[in-house]
Amino acid sequence: MAATASMMQSFGPNLSAQNDLVPDWTRTEVSTGTTIMAVEYDGGVVIGADSRTTTGAYIANRVTDKLTPIHDRIFCCRSGSAADTQAIADVVAYQLGFHSIELDEPPLVETAAHLFKASCYRYREELTAGILVAGWDRRRGGQVYCVPIGGMLVRQPVSVGGSGSTYIYGFMDSNYKPSMSKEQCLELTATALTLAMERDGSSGGVVRLASISEDGVERRVILGNQLPKISTH
Amino acid sequence: MEKRCLDAQFKGVSTGTTILAATFDGGVVIGSDSRASIGGEYVSSKTINKVIQVHDRIFCCMAGSLADAQAVLKTAKFHLSFHSVQMESSPQVIAAASVLKELCYKNKDELQAGFITAGWDRKKGPQIYVVSLGGMLIKQEVTIGGSGSTYIYGYVDAKYRPNMSREECLQFATNALALAMGRDNVSGGVAHLVVITESGAEHTVVPGDKLPKFHDE
């Protein structure tokens, strides 16, 4: 298939652009066009993501896991280029594991966030990665840090990311309140992700949720037919 | 560098604005923000009204190129009042929307303007029609448009219910505009809202400091 593609393209860009024999997904980078969200509550964090990975118009993976463990109680939510975010997460997981062994203590979420920021900022011209770092540590409890494209680092009580996030800023602003319980955060995240998945073509599939606290990590999946039904119009 | 510009390329051209319209039990609410900006760097007007009256109980909001939209609306107003004289009665909302659609579709290569038309007529009651950039015409119960609308799709999907009361719908529209203005840097200023029912049209202005505030403000 790859050999055919390169032969076709030598006849000129117009032919290959409209030729159904060479679909656009053979030439487009794999992207986690996505919706990710992380919320702090008193005692931990709740994180969530959709499960769609696309190469152009083709869904390469419809059950992706975008919630990647970096350490026992620190996760990251990945958006942007799938290759870039996987590579960065691997590097940070290694660095953090090493640091934790040196310290002989579980690492801080802030440390993980700074490691992400260091890689994303240094290689900002080559990377397309938007990452939410979330977890629990003994010093500051549940924390969410946002490392968007470009390599900024900011802590926020609630944060959304990915292509689908634009559609749910209004919903998040109006429905998030400080001091919500874990169950309320899970419900808010599931509803917000469902709304984004309904509007964003690059987000969809199932909703993956995880809650991280002192007691550990609890993961759950909400399948497509179990998603909250919201639209009335 | 190019990677960071990807978003702007995919989103396309749209006016720095937020417009919306929603149907409630007995009427419609149509509203917009009031900011006109040049490239997102300079606010050229803080208080322009983007909700234009085309007939007694029919109002339009413009999206896309302001120049194109104004030109089209001027022509449409004329056609509509002429039509109204010929028919010897108030025009239907769909008549106003169709006039806009004809103009947008026939001149689609030159124009870049879309409209939300909302109003009340005796035949079908409250209605909202959307004329998109290429000239498609569809009827909807609730609709949002402009650059600020992307941030409130989730809120509108979750919060809108058919047959709300007038107060609930007004509050819903005010909240939606406030949320969009809070996140979109080219939307802002005051919220212009017009409520259209059988008894007429009422225009309310909610100044910036009276808009609802949310948790992080």
Side-chain angles (χ1 to χ4, degrees), chain A residues 124-128 149 166-174 176 195 199 230-233, chain B residues 1 3-4 11 142 150-158 160-162 179 183 214-216:
Chain A
R124 59 187 300 176
E125 301 300 326
E126 287 91 26
L127 295 173
T128 311
I149 294 177
T166 56
Y167 304 108
I168 50 174
Y169 274 109
F171 178 80
M172 188 189 83
D173 284 341
S174 59
Y176 170 76
L195 288 165
R199 286 288 181 179
I230 302 157
S231 274
T232 55
H233 55 279
Chain B
M1 291 299 164
K3 281 187 178 178
R4 272 180 272 154
K11 274 186 192 147
V142 60
T150 56
Y151 305 108
I152 49 174
Y153 272 102
Y155 178 78
V156 169
D157 282 346
Y160 176 77
R161 289 168 352 256
L179 287 164
R183 286 289 182 179
F214 300 96
H215 69 96
D216 52 357

Side-chain angles (χ1 to χ4, degrees), chain B residues 117-133:
Chain B
T117 308
W120 183 97
D121 64 45
R122 205 184 328 229
K123 193 160 179 195
K124 294 210 199 101
Q127 300 143 77
I128 297 172
Y129 294 90
V130 181
V131 177
S132 65
L133 241 48

Side-chain angles (χ1 to χ4, degrees), chain A residues 153-186:
Chain A
L153 170 64
V154 68
R155 181 181 172 187
Q156 294 179 311
V158 56
S159 195
V160 293
S163 58
S165 68
T166 56
Y167 304 108
I168 50 174
Y169 274 109
F171 178 80
M172 188 189 83
D173 284 341
S174 59
N175 282 66
Y176 170 76
K177 292 166 187 33
S179 313
M180 293 200 301
S181 72
K182 178 173 102 166
E183 289 310 315
Q184 287 174 318
C185 287
L186 283 163

Side-chain angles (χ1 to χ4, degrees), chain A:
Chain A
M1 196 64 208
T4 320
S6 53
M7 271 167 58
M8 284 293 177
Q9 277 171 3
S10 66
F11 286 109
N14 284 337
L15 183 63
S16 53
Q18 288 160 14
N19 194 334
D20 283 333
L21 290 172
V22 186
D24 71 330
W25 54 258
T26 57
R27 285 167 274 130
T28 320
E29 192 195 334
V30 174
S31 122
T32 43
T34 187
T35 314
I36 50 178
M37 181 164 167
V39 193
E40 288 176 12
Y41 66 91
D42 184 23
V45 293
V46 163
I47 57 177
D50 74 304
S51 69
R52 182 173 288 187
T53 307
T54 52
T55 34
Y58 175 66
I59 299 173
N61 185 352
R62 64 188 173 114
V63 286
T64 324
D65 186 4
K66 301 177 191 179
L67 306 175
T68 308
I70 304 295
H71 207 267
D72 293 345
R73 282 173 184 65
I74 305 177
F75 268 65
C76 76
C77 310
R78 304 179 289 112
S79 76
S81 152
D84 287 352
T85 53
Q86 283 176 358
I88 299 170
D90 285 347
V91 162
V92 173
Y94 162 75
Q95 290 172 331
L96 199 65
F98 193 87
H99 169 72
S100 170
I101 290 172
E102 284 183 313
L103 247 51
D104 198 20
E105 239 180 48
L108 297 176
V109 185
E110 189 181 354
T111 312
H114 275 85
L115 286 171
F116 270 107
K117 189 266 303 259
S119 294
C120 291
Y121 181 66
R122 171 163 294 211
Y123 299 105
R124 59 187 300 176
E125 301 300 326
E126 287 91 26
L127 295 173
T128 311
I131 295 175
L132 296 178
V133 186
W136 179 93
D137 62 45
R138 232 166 51 129
R139 189 182 295 182
R140 293 207 188 94
Q143 300 145 73
V144 170
Y145 293 87
C146 182
V147 184
I149 294 177
M152 172 185 88
L153 170 64
V154 68
R155 181 181 172 187
Q156 294 179 311
V158 56
S159 195
V160 293
S163 58
S165 68
T166 56
Y167 304 108
I168 50 174
Y169 274 109
F171 178 80
M172 188 189 83
D173 284 341
S174 59
N175 282 66
Y176 170 76
K177 292 166 187 33
S179 313
M180 293 200 301
S181 72
K182 178 173 102 166
E183 289 310 315
Q184 287 174 318
C185 287
L186 283 163
E187 202 186 308
L188 177 72
T189 309
T191 311
L193 288 171
T194 306
L195 288 165
M197 280 155 57
E198 270 177 36
R199 286 288 181 179
D200 181 28
S202 310
S203 300
V206 306
V207 168
R208 292 198 190 274
L209 294 167
S211 69
I212 310 168
S213 65
E214 180 171 11
D215 307 322
V217 178
E218 268 176 56
R219 299 202 60 159
R220 59 190 90 168
V221 180
I222 306 180
L223 299 178
N225 61 343
Q226 297 161 348
L227 292 170
K229 309 238 181 310
I230 302 157
S231 274
T232 55
H233 55 279

